């Protein structure tokens, strides 16, 4: 009986020793795993820090590249905007000259060969564009309307009886049709500026609202300009109002017919050089 008790106690002690060894081994394995995890975490943080540093360097490089690109663009624009003066005094920018050459490539070579100066070349380029986009044939339907295209300028002369009552600067309703056609021409070409000139005959005028023919010619021009802007949607930035009084007559003022010819409103379509070549480039 005593032997059995000793064997039982020994078995318990032996099993306890085995369990302790396993426990120690597991603790060691746990420690190794924790250590490995800690090492991995540290390495991960180091890699993230390195990646962040690399990303910052990339961002800095990209910022420098963008800055250099902007500088290059700025220098190119500055170079393009610099004006050169030809021997005859014509001033153009490099950008204008480049765009003008592109336009001239579409012009009849025989005409281009006859251009002797830079001004001649510019006139050819602008005339080409005007003839391409503007059709004034519908305006020249009446003896009281005269259309003349002189190189780069379109001049449309309208008798005052089509626009105004005698001695008045208020545009009459009978002018609606001609002004609508005129607005269609103007709005068809964004590179055109429009000068409206009022002209009178030599007979003097004096009323409570009009001191002389200067007043009448200017007010007639501004009345046409306002109507083009307000009723026919012509951009006001394109419009110029001016008065010439009686000092640019077409003929002598000593007859009724002569005075009638001199009383007129002249619409001058003027190509805006910068807008013209910018549009030609974009097209």
């Amino acid at each position: 009986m005593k032997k059995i008790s000793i064997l039982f106690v020994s078995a318990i002690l032996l099993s306890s020793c085995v369990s302790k060894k396993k426990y120690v081994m597991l603790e060691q394995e746990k420690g190794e795993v924790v250590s490995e995890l800690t090492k991995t975490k540290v390495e991960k943080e180091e890699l993230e820090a390195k990646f962040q540093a690399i990303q910052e360097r990339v961002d800095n490089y990209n910022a420098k590249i963008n800055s250099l690109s902007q500088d290059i663009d700025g220098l190119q624009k500055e170079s393009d905007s610099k004006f050169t003066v030809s021997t005859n005094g014509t001033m153009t920018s490099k950008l204008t000259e480049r765009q003008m050459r592109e336009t001239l490539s579409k012009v009849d070579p025989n005409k281009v060969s006859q251009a002797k100066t830079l001004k001649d070349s510019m006139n050819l380029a602008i005339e080409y564009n005007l003839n391409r986009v503007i059709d004034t044939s519908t305006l020249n339907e009446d003896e009281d309307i005269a259309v003349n295209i002189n190189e780069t300028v379109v001049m449309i002369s309208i008798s005052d009886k089509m626009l105004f009552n005698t001695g008045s600067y208020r545009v009459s309703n009978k002018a609606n049709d001609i002004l609508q056609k005129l607005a269609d021409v103007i709005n068809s070409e964004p590179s055109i500026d429009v000068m409206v000139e009022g002209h009178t005959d030599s007979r003097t005028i004096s009323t409570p609202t009009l001191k002389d023919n200067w007043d009448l010619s200017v007010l007639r021009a501004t009345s046409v300009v306002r109507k083009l802007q307000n009723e026919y949607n012509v951009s006001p930035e394109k419009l110029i109002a001016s008065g010439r009084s009686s000092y640019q007559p077409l003929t002598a003022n000593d007859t009724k017919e002569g005075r009638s010819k001199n009383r007129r409103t002249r619409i001058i379509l003027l190509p805006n050089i910068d807008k013209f070549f910018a549009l030609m480039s974009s097209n």
Side-chain angles (χ1 to χ4, degrees):
M1 185 67 177
K2 187 177 181 180
K3 287 182 178 180
I4 293 172
S5 299
I6 293 172
L7 289 172
F8 179 74
V9 171
S10 298
I12 293 173
L13 291 173
L14 183 61
S15 64
S16 297
C17 290
V18 172
S19 298
K20 187 175 182 179
K21 286 182 179 180
K22 287 184 178 181
Y23 175 79
V24 170
M25 289 176 61
L26 290 173
E27 284 292 325
Q28 289 177 343
E29 290 178 0
K30 176 186 175 183
E32 291 173 358
V33 171
V34 171
S35 177
E36 192 67 28
L37 286 173
T38 302
K39 180 180 178 182
T40 301
K41 183 178 179 181
V42 171
E43 291 176 348
K44 175 176 176 291
E45 291 175 350
E46 290 176 349
L47 287 173
E48 288 177 345
K50 288 180 180 179
F51 178 79
Q52 181 64 30
I54 292 172
Q55 186 62 51
E56 289 177 357
R57 290 172 63 187
V58 170
D59 291 342
N60 288 335
Y61 285 137
N62 286 335
K64 289 180 180 179
I65 291 172
N66 290 335
S67 177
L68 289 173
S69 297
Q70 292 174 0
D71 289 344
I72 292 172
D73 289 342
L75 290 172
Q76 182 64 50
K77 290 178 181 178
E78 182 179 352
S79 175
D80 286 343
S81 65
K82 287 183 177 178
F83 283 88
T84 57
V85 183
S86 65
T87 54
N88 69 347
T90 303
M91 295 181 63
T92 58
S93 68
K94 291 182 179 179
L95 178 61
T96 296
E97 290 179 1
R98 185 167 65 248
Q99 293 169 342
M100 182 180 66
R101 286 193 294 270
E102 293 174 0
T103 304
L104 288 175
S105 66
K106 306 169 187 175
V107 177
D108 183 352
N110 292 328
K111 287 187 176 182
V112 175
S113 65
Q114 296 173 11
K116 304 300 182 184
T117 65
L118 176 60
K119 183 179 179 180
D120 293 338
S121 298
M122 291 178 68
N123 286 341
L124 274 177
I126 298 170
E127 182 181 10
Y128 165 82
N129 192 53
L130 286 175
N131 290 328
R132 182 175 63 86
V133 300
I134 294 179
D135 178 14
T136 57
S137 60
T138 59
L139 293 175
N140 200 9
E141 297 175 345
D142 193 286
E143 62 179 5
D144 294 315
I145 303 172
V147 179
N148 180 35
I149 300 179
N150 181 17
E151 291 185 339
T152 64
V153 177
V154 178
M155 290 174 285
I156 304 165
S157 184
I158 307 173
S159 171
D160 75 325
K161 65 183 180 182
M162 293 192 68
L163 298 176
F164 310 98
N165 295 321
T166 303
S168 173
Y169 57 85
R170 291 182 176 85
V171 181
S172 65
N173 291 331
K174 62 186 178 183
N176 291 345
D177 186 51
I178 182 63
L179 291 181
Q180 177 65 71
K181 292 179 180 179
L182 182 61
D184 291 341
V185 171
I186 297 169
N187 291 331
S188 71
E189 179 46 61
S191 70
I192 286 179
D193 286 339
V194 184
M195 178 179 287
V196 180
E197 280 186 354
H199 295 259
T200 70
D201 59 30
S202 61
R203 292 179 302 177
T204 59
I205 186 171
S206 180
T207 71
T209 55
L210 298 170
K211 290 184 179 180
D212 52 27
N213 283 332
W214 281 113
D215 275 355
L216 179 59
S217 64
V218 171
L219 288 173
R220 282 183 167 180
T222 54
S223 293
V224 172
V225 162
R226 287 193 188 95
K227 199 171 183 71
L228 288 172
Q229 175 186 348
N230 297 332
E231 298 186 24
Y232 299 103
N233 299 318
V234 175
S235 173
E237 291 83 3
K238 300 173 68 170
L239 296 169
I240 306 165
S242 65
R244 307 303 295 265
S245 187
S246 60
Y247 298 106
Q248 285 198 342
L250 293 177
T251 185
N253 281 291
D254 51 6
T255 66
K256 180 179 179 181
E257 291 75 15
R259 289 191 295 272
S260 178
K261 285 185 178 180
N262 291 332
R263 295 191 303 271
R264 68 199 187 279
T265 298
R266 189 165 69 157
I267 315 295
I268 306 173
L269 308 186
L270 304 164
N272 183 307
I273 302 299
D274 292 336
K275 290 181 183 177
F276 166 74
F277 284 111
L279 285 166
M280 289 305 297
S281 176
S282 65
N283 291 336

